[in-house]
Amino acid sequence: MNQIKEILNKYPKEEEYLIEILLEFQASKKNHYISSEDVSVISKYLNIPESQVCSVISFYTMLSMSPKGKYVIQVCHDVPCFVNSANNIYDKLVEELGVEDGETTEDKLFTLEITECLGRCNESPVMRVNDKVFVNLTPAKVEKIINDLRGENK
Amino acid sequence: MIEMKVISKRFGKVDPLSIDSYIKHDGYKGLEKAISNHPSHIIDEVEKSKIRGRGGAGFPTYIKVRALSKEAGKKYIVCNADEGEPGNFKDRMIMENDPHSVIEGMIIMAYATGAEQGYIYIRGEYQIAMNIMKETIKQAKDKGFLGKNIFNKGFNFEIEIRSGAGSYVCGEEFSLIESIEGKPGRSRTKPPFPTEKGIHNLPTLINNVETFANFPYIITIGGDKFAQIGTNSSTGTKLISLSGNVKKKGLYEVPFGTSIRDVIFKLGKGVKDDRKIKMVQLGGASGPIIPEYMLDMSIDFDRFENFDSKTGTGAIIVIDDRFDIFDILLTNMKFFVHQSCGKCAPCREGHIQIVNLLNKFINHRATEKDLMSLENLANVIQQTSLCGLGQTSMTSIISSLRYFRDDYFAKVRY
Ligand SMILES: Cc1cc2nc3c(=O)[nH]c(=O)nc-3n(C[C@H](O)[C@H](O)[C@H](O)COP(=O)(O)O)c2cc1C
Ligand code: SF4
Ligand code: FES
């Protein structure tokens, strides 16, 4: 609760800070989502209806109201990555994690998502794990990244 | 040498996190010169430079700048760093390598137009650029280049960073304005234009990152001299995001008028594994797809106007002959299905129909009637959509129907 207050107090009580607040709320959560309690706290703080907060969350793909894994893995599939074998990267992730686009592993460690261009097409194919971008991927590199992350959580 | 480094000249040479390093490399010289003159003089220089916006549409910059300067009262300047168009990474590179050039350009524009509040709207995925820009603003403030009574000239200017949250359409001017106001990024009808009614219905100037980075250079060398670089209709240099199946993907800077072929072969060193080029997509997912024989076309807004689209971002995506045009089109169209904001029917429903039609071709179940439906629907979406997303998303379809018609016929069932 204190952490929530701390975040809110950084922002003026103005509607225009809603997206900034939501992003910071979400970043502070280990499951990368905004709960319905959060929505009600934020709507009270900004003095706007809860429905307005929800409509913003549902519009922006980076915001979510359902919990995700500890690591959100986003693989780019737009044309510059597609023609550099991005499909093989996605297939390798499916093989490693046993889940597909939009799904979370049973141990709640990984969520796999297909995403749009990450602006790193000069180093394609590319994926993002939370805030970190991995570039010039090969299936072997993907395997290592996943194994390393699993190792850290043993 | 076909490269000409003006905007990227400091890349790798300055420490992006040090304002002193920037100043040592002639940084803030343009601003110094700008404020020693009357604001109207700066707008005259921008007009003489004939610079056109680097965000894609290539609109003459001075018209918007002059319009803003004539508005009274509170007004805003916005740097569009949303860069969501697939295949583009130039704005990220500017922010990560020479962030102060963007700030300097914004301050010059603030002085020229009398705006006291600026925003940089950065796409949420660009965490590194976001952190760098925050630090850059802090440094510029500490030096007195931002804040109150800048250079004792009695002019004030502040910049705030706003983060996108994963929405391509927020790069479109009015969607961006809605998003800065904290709302879903759904566009508004034009007119009025942002320079009349933008953020909080107040006059707002929106320019691309690369456009802002050009202002210090224009002021330093003078508008007339700038206008001598490039071609008659497109002056200055262009940052090119080269990607796809080339040997050396990357960012290159060339004067306007350089041919696409030279960029691919001289700078990108040709196609990987020396394969043949099947097609090249220009500008990004909303740009045209052209065949190999058109590569001698020069990089020039006037040429690009033939495709009426956002070709002018400077992205060049090279696709070799292992790929089928329908795979590329389908990837583009799925992108637009995801990115449509849903406000108007042609775009919301149309893209889904286009995907269905493309799948018919891919599965060899399309008839000649489907070909006509595809063509008609693409034109309807282009002509009746409310905002720039739907107005430009059909460019790859329409250009492929023009240049790759045989590929369609090869899939039609008779
Ligand atoms: C769907 C859509 C997305 C756009 N995305 C961007 C973007 O990411 N960055 C940008 O500078 N302009 C983008 N634009 C163009 C802007 O609307 C606007 O024309 C531009 O920021 C003006 O700046 P300029 O004159 O310096 O090019 C987009 C336009 C549309 C229709
Ligand atoms: S064209 Fe598409 S993105 Fe633009 S307003 Fe209509 S539905 Fe929204
Ligand atoms: S297309 Fe994958 S990073 Fe741009």
Side-chain angles (χ1 to χ4, degrees):
Chain A
M1 205 58 207
N2 271 338
Q3 194 190 9
I4 290 177
K5 284 235 172 72
E6 231 169 76
I7 295 176
L8 287 176
N9 286 335
K10 281 200 267 181
Y11 296 94
K13 291 193 177 199
E14 284 164 32
E15 202 181 316
E16 61 176 272
Y17 292 99
L18 175 58
I19 297 168
E20 300 288 318
I21 293 173
L22 289 169
L23 282 167
E24 198 169 338
F25 255 73
Q26 188 170 284
S28 73
K29 300 282 200 68
K30 73 170 191 297
N31 289 333
H32 312 275
Y33 85 113
I34 296 150
S35 66
S36 39
E37 292 88 71
D38 297 335
V39 169
S40 106
V41 173
I42 294 169
S43 85
K44 282 204 190 84
Y45 181 79
L46 294 177
N47 198 17
I48 53 175
E50 287 187 15
S51 60
Q52 189 178 335
V53 179
C54 291
S55 74
V56 166
I57 297 172
S58 69
F59 183 83
Y60 293 97
T61 55
M62 279 174 76
L63 298 171
S64 166
M65 279 196 71
S66 41
K68 296 185 181 180
K70 179 172 179 186
Y71 302 105
V72 180
I73 301 185
Q74 298 184 310
V75 206
C76 171
H77 76 147
D78 284 322
V79 171
C81 280
F82 172 77
V83 300
N84 279 291
S85 310
N87 283 350
N88 293 346
I89 303 305
Y90 177 75
D91 289 349
K92 183 68 190 175
L93 283 161
V94 172
E95 180 194 320
E96 286 290 319
L97 304 175
V99 293
E100 302 218 15
D101 180 26
E103 297 174 349
T104 301
T105 55
E106 244 166 58
D107 59 6
K108 305 273 183 276
L109 210 47
F110 299 100
T111 297
L112 179 60
E113 294 176 354
I114 291 177
T115 192
E116 311 299 3
C117 176
L118 294 167
R120 300 290 285 259
C121 336
N122 49 330
E123 300 161 293
S124 56
V126 173
M127 72 180 189
R128 203 159 84 108
V129 181
N130 295 346
D131 270 353
K132 198 166 184 298
V133 181
F134 293 87
V135 299
N136 296 319
L137 292 172
T138 59
K141 273 195 198 173
V142 168
E143 188 176 336
K144 181 165 185 314
I145 293 164
I146 300 296
N147 282 339
D148 288 352
L149 290 174
R150 281 205 173 112
E152 281 171 29
N153 287 276
K154 274 274 155 63
Chain B
M1 264 318 278
I2 68 166
E3 270 186 290
M4 177 174 177
K5 292 190 181 179
V6 170
I7 301 306
S8 59
K9 64 172 179 273
R10 279 183 284 255
F11 288 18
K13 299 213 173 87
V14 290
D15 172 1
L17 288 172
S18 157
I19 190 166
D20 292 324
S21 165
Y22 180 69
I23 290 172
K24 237 182 250 152
H25 287 81
D26 295 333
Y28 289 106
K29 284 258 169 67
L31 175 62
E32 223 171 273
K33 189 170 169 196
I35 56 156
S36 65
N37 283 297
H38 191 267
S40 67
H41 175 79
I42 296 163
I43 303 176
D44 291 342
E45 289 301 315
V46 173
E47 175 166 5
K48 279 189 220 155
S49 77
K50 300 203 280 179
I51 185 172
R52 296 166 69 168
R54 300 327 197 208
F59 188 76
T61 304
Y62 79 91
I63 297 178
K64 294 200 291 194
V65 176
R66 182 155 287 146
L68 190 81
S69 73
K70 290 197 173 133
E71 297 283 344
K74 195 168 168 132
K75 42 190 151 177
Y76 300 100
I77 286 181
V78 179
C79 173
N80 189 344
D82 197 42
E83 191 157 70
E85 188 72 51
N88 287 280
F89 44 85
K90 68 184 179 77
D91 296 339
R92 175 179 61 78
M93 296 289 252
I94 297 175
M95 292 188 285
E96 289 180 359
N97 289 289
D98 197 17
H100 277 286
S101 67
V102 183
I103 303 291
E104 185 179 355
M106 289 181 76
I107 305 172
I108 291 172
M109 273 309 113
Y111 177 69
T113 61
E116 298 201 336
Q117 176 67 49
Y119 292 100
I120 306 177
Y121 184 89
I122 306 180
R123 69 179 297 202
E125 291 86 349
Y126 280 0
Q127 273 307 321
I128 298 171
M130 190 113 55
N131 294 337
I132 291 178
M133 291 314 294
K134 278 185 185 155
E135 174 61 24
T136 304
I137 290 172
K138 206 172 133 274
Q139 292 176 356
K141 234 179 186 162
D142 289 345
K143 279 263 193 268
F145 298 160
L146 285 172
K148 294 247 177 308
N149 195 17
I150 298 166
F151 287 113
N152 287 321
K153 283 272 177 180
F155 97 97
N156 313 321
F157 187 53
E158 301 278 358
I159 301 176
E160 271 184 48
I161 303 271
R162 283 301 157 83
S163 173
S167 165
Y168 160 75
V169 73
C170 284
E172 191 274 337
E173 299 181 310
F174 273 120
S175 305
L176 187 151
I177 287 166
E178 292 280 318
S179 187
I180 286 182
E181 291 178 358
K183 300 183 212 146
R186 293 201 179 86
S187 193
R188 305 177 187 164
T189 21
K190 297 184 213 184
F193 291 96
T195 45
E196 301 156 283
K197 279 187 175 183
I199 299 171
H200 303 311
N201 281 323
L202 294 171
T204 304
L205 172 74
I206 302 179
N207 276 127
N208 172 257
V209 175
E210 187 184 349
T211 312
F212 278 112
N214 265 283
F215 294 135
Y217 182 65
I218 291 174
I219 299 303
T220 304
I221 68 162
D224 285 329
K225 224 168 156 194
F226 184 92
Q228 284 164 16
I229 308 168
T231 69
N232 253 342
S233 67
S234 312
T235 56
T237 61
K238 187 73 200 73
L239 290 177
I240 303 292
S241 311
L242 181 64
S243 70
N245 304 124
V246 284
K247 285 188 185 138
K248 275 188 73 193
K249 301 184 278 242
L251 189 81
Y252 301 99
E253 183 172 2
V254 295
F256 275 100
T258 305
S259 81
I260 293 169
R261 191 183 298 282
D262 278 352
V263 171
I264 295 173
F265 287 92
K266 294 197 177 141
L267 299 174
K269 306 290 175 212
V271 185
K272 250 198 222 147
D273 305 325
D274 294 315
R275 287 181 174 276
K276 282 210 169 67
I277 293 178
K278 160 87 185 184
M279 57 199 138
V280 171
Q281 187 161 23
L282 303 175
S286 60
I289 298 180
I290 59 169
E292 202 273 343
Y293 66 79
M294 283 178 74
L295 295 184
D296 293 313
M297 183 168 90
S298 58
I299 294 163
D300 188 316
F301 287 115
D302 272 5
R303 298 281 146 74
F304 293 163
E305 263 160 25
N306 298 335
F307 307 111
D308 46 28
S309 184
K310 298 197 293 283
T311 318
T313 59
I316 297 180
I317 308 165
V318 178
I319 302 156
D320 72 34
D321 60 1
R322 290 169 300 167
F323 296 94
D324 187 299
I325 191 152
F326 290 96
D327 288 334
I328 305 301
L329 292 171
L330 193 65
T331 305
N332 283 332
M333 293 307 128
K334 282 186 177 165
F335 174 80
F336 293 118
V337 169
H338 285 146
Q339 301 303 331
S340 167
C341 86
K343 187 166 178 168
C344 64
C347 169
R348 185 184 59 232
E349 310 295 335
H351 288 116
I352 298 170
Q353 288 308 317
I354 294 270
V355 165
N356 291 341
L357 282 165
L358 286 176
N359 274 322
K360 272 184 143 180
F361 282 94
I362 290 167
N363 299 323
H364 292 273
R365 282 179 31 241
T367 61
E368 277 189 270
K369 216 175 123 222
D370 291 317
L371 184 58
M372 274 165 61
S373 306
L374 185 76
E375 202 145 26
N376 289 338
L377 183 56
N379 285 315
V380 168
I381 294 173
Q382 187 186 51
Q383 278 152 32
T384 61
S385 287
L386 177 69
C387 88
L389 188 145
Q391 289 160 7
T392 59
S393 62
M394 287 301 118
T395 315
S396 61
I397 296 280
I398 291 169
S399 59
S400 70
L401 283 162
R402 201 186 302 167
Y403 305 120
F404 295 89
R405 222 174 167 80
D406 288 348
D407 293 56
Y408 284 89
F409 286 129
K411 298 246 159 125
V412 164
R413 178 197 274 183
Y414 292 96

